[in-house]
Amino acid sequence: MDNILSQVFDACRLARELESNLRRANVPTDPHYLLGSCEEIAGAFNEAIHRLLAGNLFSYPSQMLSGEAPGSRLDPGAGEGSSRGTGYMQVPNLPGTPVVEPWGLEIKSAAPVGPSNYPGTPNTGVEPFVVGGGEPRLGAETALSGRRADGSLPHRSSRTRRDNGTVTRRVPALRTGNMEMPPDDGYTWRKYGQKDILNSRFPRSYYRCTHRSYYGCEAKKKVQRLDDDPNMFEVIYCGTHTCQTSPTPILIPTLVPSAIGNNMNDNDNDDGGGGGHQQGASPQSASIQLRNWLEGNPRNTRTLLVPRSGAGGSTSRQVGQQPGGRDMDDSVAELADAMFNSASSGSSMDAIFSPRQRSL
DNA sequence: CCCATTTGACCCTG
DNA sequence: CAGGGTCAAATGGG
């Protein structure tokens, strides 16, 4: 176990080093440096994950250990056309790498059918996202039978999803920032409703993609706090983020680290918000910019990337997506999300490191 | 002024 | 009819 902790600490150290470098005025401008660093960090965390899994600390499905992409065979349609689904769930799967959730969660891909939770799921507060229907309290998630049928477009998530195109995930509330909201998933959402749900202490909130009017994006999500664990949210994603398929290229001309979080937001010019200031129009997280750059910039040295396909899941601006799987690259991108995304957390690093870890 | 959130009413499905 | 999902007016913040 010490060995594992050591590995974790090592990964934390790498991340801190990167953060430190990025914060310096004279930060490296080489995106390759960023990529390399992120990969190194992701690799370190993945190593820790592997060790944890290998240690049978948790009763993870063997497929997680083998690196078989969860859901890779559950979702034949994954990645076709728009692999972007909603939030992080649309990240295409690719065998080879354990999936690390941007919120620090191990993606529990779904069993093809059956119980939503794996037996023996570690009680770490990190629960697998649930393939629809598995969660009793939110069983109504299947009742996407609102007045309009536009919310039930086939979901392109490559992660597990059910036939009706919904994916349910459980995410912990942020330790920092607004505890009333689940961690930012990289998309911009507009709340359009809230409703008290039968037998639930907490109301369910309804969100749709902010870019709905602009891109006609029909992605939606429902967020509800768990009765038995108010620190956890159950997020049900529905629909596909078509806003990412906008013909408008979202490229970052130059990746200037100092631009992370500001200049890179030039990409937001295509934001339907038209310069809004609230969540929906807030600048995309730097991680999104980074990912977009990594994935969309034609000048990007793709050879640096692990062979991959498709964009990661969380960004609302992925471009150039292809069918395929999820791999280290996605982990890197998601790590970047966690690292840079400050949309809903007070500290970017808090998104990935607990205060204790950071104090190490 | 624009945009997001709130919230009560309405609609749809089972 | 009950419950869930959505609409849209009202409200508030930047």
Side-chain angles (χ1 to χ4, degrees):
Chain A
M1 192 49 161
D2 289 342
N3 192 21
I4 297 175
L5 285 177
S6 174
Q7 180 66 37
V8 172
F9 292 154
D10 189 50
C12 292
R13 179 184 54 78
L14 291 173
R16 283 195 299 272
E17 287 178 2
L18 175 60
E19 183 191 34
S20 175
N21 289 336
L22 292 178
R23 288 184 184 283
R24 275 202 290 269
N26 210 6
V27 289
T29 57
D30 184 3
H32 296 174
Y33 163 80
L34 286 174
L35 179 61
S37 297
C38 290
E39 284 184 335
E40 188 178 10
I41 294 165
F45 277 116
N46 279 330
E47 174 61 24
I49 290 170
H50 271 295
R51 293 183 187 182
L52 284 168
L53 296 179
N56 262 339
L57 292 174
F58 312 133
S59 303
Y60 275 70
S62 59
Q63 93 176 35
M64 294 301 295
L65 291 174
S66 67
E68 176 179 350
S72 59
R73 54 185 169 193
L74 307 178
D75 183 22
E80 61 183 79
S82 82
S83 59
R84 323 147 278 300
T86 53
Y88 287 87
M89 302 164 325
Q90 72 276 30
V91 177
N93 293 330
L94 188 70
T97 308
V99 179
V100 177
E101 280 291 274
W103 300 314
L105 306 184
E106 181 86 15
I107 291 175
K108 301 299 270 193
S109 156
V113 271
S116 57
N117 290 335
Y118 288 104
T121 295
N123 184 21
T124 58
V126 174
E127 297 202 43
F129 78 102
V130 180
V131 178
E135 220 287 324
R137 198 181 316 97
L138 291 182
E141 71 188 83
T142 59
L144 298 176
S145 56
R147 187 184 336 188
R148 308 279 186 272
D150 55 4
S152 15
L153 294 175
H155 194 145
R156 282 291 169 234
S157 168
S158 67
R159 298 188 188 174
T160 4
R161 69 190 183 204
R162 43 192 332 180
D163 291 341
N164 64 7
T166 69
V167 177
T168 302
R169 301 185 65 217
R170 289 186 179 185
V171 299
L174 290 174
R175 301 290 184 217
T176 60
N178 186 1
M179 290 285 290
E180 299 302 315
M181 285 294 299
D184 178 28
D185 56 13
Y187 286 105
T188 54
W189 301 94
R190 173 175 176 164
K191 188 175 183 176
Y192 66 89
Q194 177 172 309
K195 197 166 183 64
D196 289 326
I197 300 302
L198 198 66
N199 298 326
S200 292
R201 277 195 297 158
F202 305 103
R204 178 180 300 172
S205 296
Y206 298 87
Y207 298 85
R208 65 164 58 102
C209 181
T210 297
H211 310 298
R212 173 183 151 106
S213 58
Y214 196 75
Y215 290 135
C217 182
E218 296 294 343
K220 296 177 185 176
K221 75 172 179 181
K222 293 176 285 188
V223 177
Q224 184 169 15
R225 264 175 128 159
L226 300 181
D227 279 351
D228 50 2
D229 187 356
N231 291 324
M232 292 292 292
F233 287 90
E234 187 140 286
V235 184
I236 303 167
Y237 293 90
C238 317
T240 302
H241 271 283
T242 56
C243 57
Q244 300 165 24
T245 61
S246 166
T248 303
I250 300 163
L251 302 175
I252 299 175
T254 56
L255 182 62
V256 181
S258 62
I260 292 177
N262 43 62
N263 294 349
M264 295 171 73
N265 290 334
D266 289 347
N267 290 330
D268 277 324
N269 290 342
D270 61 350
D271 193 329
H277 31 264
Q278 298 188 20
Q279 172 195 2
S282 62
Q284 295 292 314
S285 68
S287 62
I288 295 176
Q289 318 296 347
L290 174 58
R291 179 181 296 187
N292 284 337
W293 183 88
L294 290 172
E295 297 173 349
N297 191 333
R299 291 179 296 164
N300 181 27
T301 306
R302 298 289 296 184
T303 53
L304 279 181
L305 304 177
V306 176
R308 60 162 303 162
S309 61
S314 67
T315 79
S316 55
R317 301 295 170 79
Q318 290 97 334
V319 292
Q321 291 169 0
Q322 308 161 16
R326 172 199 179 92
D327 55 17
M328 172 69 90
D329 222 17
D330 288 310
S331 297
V332 171
E334 288 181 348
L335 177 63
D337 274 329
M339 292 178 64
F340 301 119
N341 196 338
S342 58
S344 54
S345 63
S347 166
S348 59
M349 292 302 279
D350 281 347
I352 40 179
F353 304 117
S354 70
R356 184 190 184 298
Q357 285 174 315
R358 296 191 59 187
S359 68
L360 294 173

